[in-house]
């Protein structure tokens, strides 16, 4: 457990190093919380950056070699990555929730566009699904090889949302608002399943370049 | 005792058509062993296999009596590793990097770390990216040695360093060996480093071990012979590992100097070879020069 804690701390330092790339989006996300649709957009952009960038940073600066020479089990590296992702998911959802409720108090926002409790739950679930699909690919293939796959998942997600909005522009908001607390255990279950897939994949990975 | 023991090791790379094939290799405890080979010979691959970053297709690697693959974390806890690219966060300060690294090692010695920082004049407030290449290598060495490793593995530690920084690095290695009894295994293609500090050498070429043993013994057993061309006959030529001819005469490396002396006598000149002479001789022979 001590090693996992140290690896989580290491991820934290890494995020601090790339904070400039993230800060702008974070501010935009907070200020976009006047409407569910814009909050969703920035939430997923930020989540993409938080998931992809540290691994890409590692690969570019050979940071994965650095982790590779530490006296840790590979399973601990995966545990740390998932823990950090979970914390990021929770924090982003909370941030949108807090800024959304502030905006709701200060401004007159139509009911349909407001950030609701159900909406936050749906965001968490959607984020867990995104991390659950992308993280095993990144850990198995590395950021360079997996980038097209990650991009494809991302585009597919936005294309699906766009297509649905085209036919029924209230569907996303309606569905999001309909979310409940049950989405939290569902999201956690997805992450847990994804973790179980990622562990053997990362164990098989060899650092050739 | 051997700190590293390799048996029947094979690692194939399908794309590059490269195969590392080390049927047997040992590294002695308490000595500095140089691992020499041209670019692409398989030095980094061997080191990565030792660190369990790559997995062997066949064979085993025992480090300090433990299996490098099955007991990876326990093995790595006893190793100080200085890679060609250490992979530290470039924007982090040295102090931050140390704080990230130290908790992973039970035997981390803060006083020793400070001592090394003082010796290398490393300022903890400086960012890693702002250090010169030499200072970056020195910092890597600082980190690698501060947890009292039993074995120091280094991948091209003196590459891209100026002569002064290289000498400082070699001095540290010699000191550590003397004071702490750390066994050192380092890959390089700078042969003069091996002449200075290596006790043992391992020559790698095309994924195979060409020659291995005590450096002084290998140098004693071989001779660089120079002489006029008319001394070369099919009988004498067969005694050379490699031969280079020019209009002024020939130069060749031989592994049987007594026999060559018996045939060529005082007409030829006999010199003790450097590690580079031996490396070039055996590598060129493999390439059919």
């Amino acid at each position: 457990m001590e090693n996992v804690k140290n690896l989580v701390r290491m991820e934290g330092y890494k995020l601090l190093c790339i904070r400039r790339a993230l800060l702008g989006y974070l501010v935009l996300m907070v200020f976009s919380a006047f409407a569910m649709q814009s909050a969703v957009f920035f939430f997923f952009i930020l989540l993409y950056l938080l998931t992809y960038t540290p691994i890409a940073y590692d690969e570019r600066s050979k940071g994965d070699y650095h982790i590779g020479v530490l006296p840790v089990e590979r399973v601990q590296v995966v545990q740390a990555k998932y823990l950090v992702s979970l914390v990021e998911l929770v924090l982003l959802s909370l941030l949108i929730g807090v800024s959304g409720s502030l905006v709701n108090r200060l401004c007159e926002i139509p009911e349909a566009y407001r950030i609701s409790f159900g909406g936050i739950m749906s965001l968490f679930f959607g984020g867990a699904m995104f991390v659950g699909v992308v993280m095993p690919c990144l850990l198995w293939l590395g950021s360079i090889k997996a980038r097209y796959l990650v991009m494809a998942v991302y585009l597919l997600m936005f294309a699906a949302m766009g297509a649905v909005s085209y036919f029924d522009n209230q569907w996303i908001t309606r569905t999001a608002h309909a979310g409940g607390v049950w989405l939290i255990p569902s999201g956690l279950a997805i992450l847990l399943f994804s973790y179980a897939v990622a562990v053997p994949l990362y164990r098989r990975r060899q650092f050739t370049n | 005792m051997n700190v590293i023991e390799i048996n029947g090791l094979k690692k194939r790379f399908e794309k590059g058509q490269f195969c590392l094939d080390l049927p047997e290799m040992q590294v002695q405890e308490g000595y500095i062993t140089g691992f020499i080979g041209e670019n692409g010979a398989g030095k980094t691959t061997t080191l990565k296999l030792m660190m369990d970053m790559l997995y062997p297709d066949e064979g085993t690697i025992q480090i300090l009596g433990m299996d490098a693959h099955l007991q990876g974390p326990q093995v790595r806890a006893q190793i100080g590793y200085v890679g060609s690219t250490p992979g530290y966060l470039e924007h982090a300060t040295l102090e931050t990097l140390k704080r990230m690294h130290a908790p992973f090692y039970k035997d981390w010695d803060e006083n020793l770390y400070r001592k090394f920082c003082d010796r290398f004049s490393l300022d903890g407030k400086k960012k890693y990216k702002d250090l010169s290449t030499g200072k970056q290598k020195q910092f890597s060495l600082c980190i690698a040695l501060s947890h009292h490793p039993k074995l120091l593995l280094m991948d091209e530690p003196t590459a891209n360093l100026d002569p002064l920084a290289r000498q400082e690095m070699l001095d540290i290695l010699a000191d550590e060996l003397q004071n702490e009894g750390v066994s050192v295994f380092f890959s390089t293609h700078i042969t003069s480093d091996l002449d200075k500090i290596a006790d043992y050498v391992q020559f790698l070429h095309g994924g195979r071990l060409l020659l291995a043993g005590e450096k002084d013994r290998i140098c004693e057993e071989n001779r660089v012979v120079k002489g006029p061309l008319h001394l070369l006959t099919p009988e004498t030529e067969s005694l050379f590992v490699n031969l280079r001819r020019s209009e002024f005469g020939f130069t060749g490396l031989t592994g049987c100097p007594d026999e060559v002396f018996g045939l060529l006598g005082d007409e030829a000149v006999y010199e003790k070879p450097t590690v580079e002479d031996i490396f070039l001789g055996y590598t060129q022979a493999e390439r059919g020069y």
Side-chain angles (χ1 to χ4, degrees):
Chain A
M1 198 57 201
E2 196 60 30
N3 280 343
V4 178
K5 206 174 80 185
N6 295 330
L7 286 165
V8 167
R9 194 184 303 150
M10 199 180 252
E11 288 292 310
Y13 283 125
K14 214 174 294 165
L15 288 174
L16 276 179
C17 286
I18 55 169
R19 64 184 177 273
R20 276 187 196 163
L22 303 172
L23 208 62
Y25 289 102
L26 192 70
V27 172
L28 279 171
M29 190 189 78
V30 171
F31 283 101
S32 69
F34 60 85
M36 194 69 208
Q37 274 167 324
S38 56
V40 167
F41 182 74
F42 286 110
F43 173 84
F44 279 104
I45 288 204
L46 207 54
L47 194 62
Y48 168 80
L49 290 174
L50 284 168
T51 313
Y52 183 81
T53 319
I55 292 177
Y57 185 92
D58 266 350
E59 209 156 299
R60 204 185 61 229
S61 64
K62 302 283 179 198
D64 39 9
Y65 282 21
H66 180 226
I67 294 171
V69 303
L70 291 172
V72 296
E73 302 269 0
R74 289 200 175 195
V75 66
Q76 293 173 323
V77 177
V78 180
Q79 282 168 1
K81 293 269 183 208
Y82 273 83
L83 270 175
V84 171
S85 290
L86 182 62
V87 170
E88 287 167 354
L89 256 178
V90 171
L91 285 181
L92 286 183
S93 306
L94 278 176
L95 205 60
I96 287 188
V98 170
S99 55
S101 68
L102 274 177
V103 171
N104 288 348
R105 281 188 188 180
L106 296 172
C107 317
E108 275 298 315
I109 307 281
E111 189 70 36
Y113 295 104
R114 280 187 174 195
I115 296 202
S116 63
F117 177 75
I120 302 297
M121 296 296 112
S122 302
L123 267 187
F124 175 83
F125 179 78
M129 216 148 78
F130 176 74
V131 172
V133 173
V134 164
M135 191 62 97
C137 303
L138 284 172
L139 287 172
W140 181 34
L141 300 168
S143 68
I144 294 170
K145 282 183 187 164
R147 66 185 184 273
Y148 296 115
L149 204 67
V150 175
M151 203 57 88
V153 171
Y154 213 68
L155 288 176
L156 208 70
M157 205 171 68
F158 274 109
M161 281 161 72
V164 169
S165 302
Y166 180 76
F167 294 109
D168 177 356
N169 65 1
Q170 292 297 312
W171 185 85
I172 292 173
T173 322
R174 249 192 349 261
T175 314
H177 287 318
V181 183
W182 58 272
L183 284 174
I184 289 187
S186 309
L188 290 177
I190 287 172
L191 286 178
L192 208 62
F193 177 73
S194 165
Y195 163 77
V197 173
V199 169
L201 289 177
Y202 191 63
R203 273 199 180 127
R204 280 171 56 184
R205 186 169 170 195
Q206 300 194 49
F207 296 93
T208 44
N209 293 311
Chain B
M1 190 196 157
N2 297 320
V3 275
I4 303 173
E5 270 191 40
I6 291 178
N7 285 302
L9 184 73
K10 276 193 180 166
K11 179 71 188 170
R12 292 176 200 88
F13 294 92
E14 300 301 336
K15 279 183 190 170
Q17 304 284 311
F18 175 76
C19 178
L20 179 75
D21 185 3
L22 298 173
E24 206 176 90
M25 186 174 127
Q26 286 97 26
V27 174
Q28 297 277 318
E29 186 184 13
Y31 292 99
I32 297 178
T33 303
F35 195 39
I36 189 168
E38 76 274 28
N39 291 331
K43 302 185 297 290
T44 302
T45 300
T46 310
L47 285 166
K48 280 186 181 177
L49 284 159
M50 289 176 185
M51 295 306 285
D52 202 32
M53 284 194 267
L54 290 176
Y55 304 145
D57 295 327
E58 289 171 38
T60 56
I61 302 175
Q62 295 272 324
I63 297 181
L64 300 161
M66 292 178 277
D67 189 295
H69 180 52
L70 299 175
Q71 295 165 283
Q74 293 94 307
V75 170
R76 290 195 292 275
Q78 306 287 335
I79 292 178
Y81 184 80
V82 179
S84 49
T85 8
Y88 295 130
L89 295 176
E90 289 181 351
H91 294 82
T93 62
L94 302 190
E95 186 60 26
T96 305
L97 289 173
K98 188 267 295 177
R99 263 190 273 136
M100 278 165 68
H101 206 89
F104 289 101
Y105 296 94
K106 282 180 196 159
D107 298 327
W108 182 267
D109 186 338
E110 192 61 27
N111 291 332
L112 190 60
Y113 171 76
R114 298 273 163 226
K115 201 184 92 185
F116 282 127
C117 281
D118 289 345
R119 179 168 181 174
F120 292 132
S121 310
L122 292 167
D123 178 3
K125 287 173 193 155
K126 270 202 166 179
K127 285 186 177 175
Y128 182 75
K129 71 177 173 69
D130 295 333
L131 299 181
S132 65
T133 315
K135 287 282 169 207
Q136 287 183 347
K137 279 273 160 73
Q138 286 174 343
F139 177 69
S140 299
L141 190 61
C142 224
I143 291 281
L145 288 171
S146 295
H147 63 93
H148 298 284
K150 289 183 180 156
L151 171 66
L152 187 62
L153 288 183
M154 301 195 291
D155 191 9
E156 311 270 4
T158 52
N160 305 319
L161 295 187
D162 62 62
L164 196 67
R166 244 175 51 212
Q167 189 56 51
E168 276 182 1
M169 183 75 98
L170 298 178
D171 288 345
I172 281 277
L173 295 184
D175 286 356
E176 279 306 299
L177 181 70
Q178 202 170 17
N179 302 335
E180 299 263 340
V182 180
S183 308
V184 181
F185 182 72
F186 75 105
S187 77
T188 186
H189 51 240
I190 304 173
T191 50
S192 58
D193 292 349
L194 298 176
D195 280 318
K196 283 177 190 163
I197 61 157
D199 302 304
Y200 286 83
V201 282
Q202 316 253 11
F203 293 86
L204 196 67
H205 171 70
R208 290 185 306 112
L209 206 57
L210 278 186
L211 197 64
E214 215 177 316
K215 184 192 74 186
D216 290 339
R217 190 180 54 79
I218 290 175
C219 291
E220 276 309 321
E221 284 173 355
N222 288 275
R223 281 290 178 271
V224 173
V225 184
K226 292 172 184 173
L229 288 173
H230 71 85
L231 291 177
L232 292 177
T233 61
E235 189 190 0
T236 54
E237 279 184 32
S238 66
L239 295 171
F240 286 95
V241 176
N242 77 322
L243 267 174
R244 270 176 295 152
R245 294 176 177 85
S246 70
E247 54 184 303
F248 305 110
F250 74 89
T251 304
L253 182 77
T254 179
C256 30
D258 294 340
E259 285 175 59
V260 173
F261 184 76
L263 289 169
L264 307 186
D266 289 334
E267 254 194 284
V269 177
Y270 305 87
E271 291 171 358
K272 190 178 168 182
T274 60
V275 173
E276 180 159 313
D277 293 327
I278 294 168
F279 171 59
L280 285 176
Y282 281 90
T283 309
Q284 286 175 346
E286 276 293 307
R287 286 177 176 172
Y289 288 179

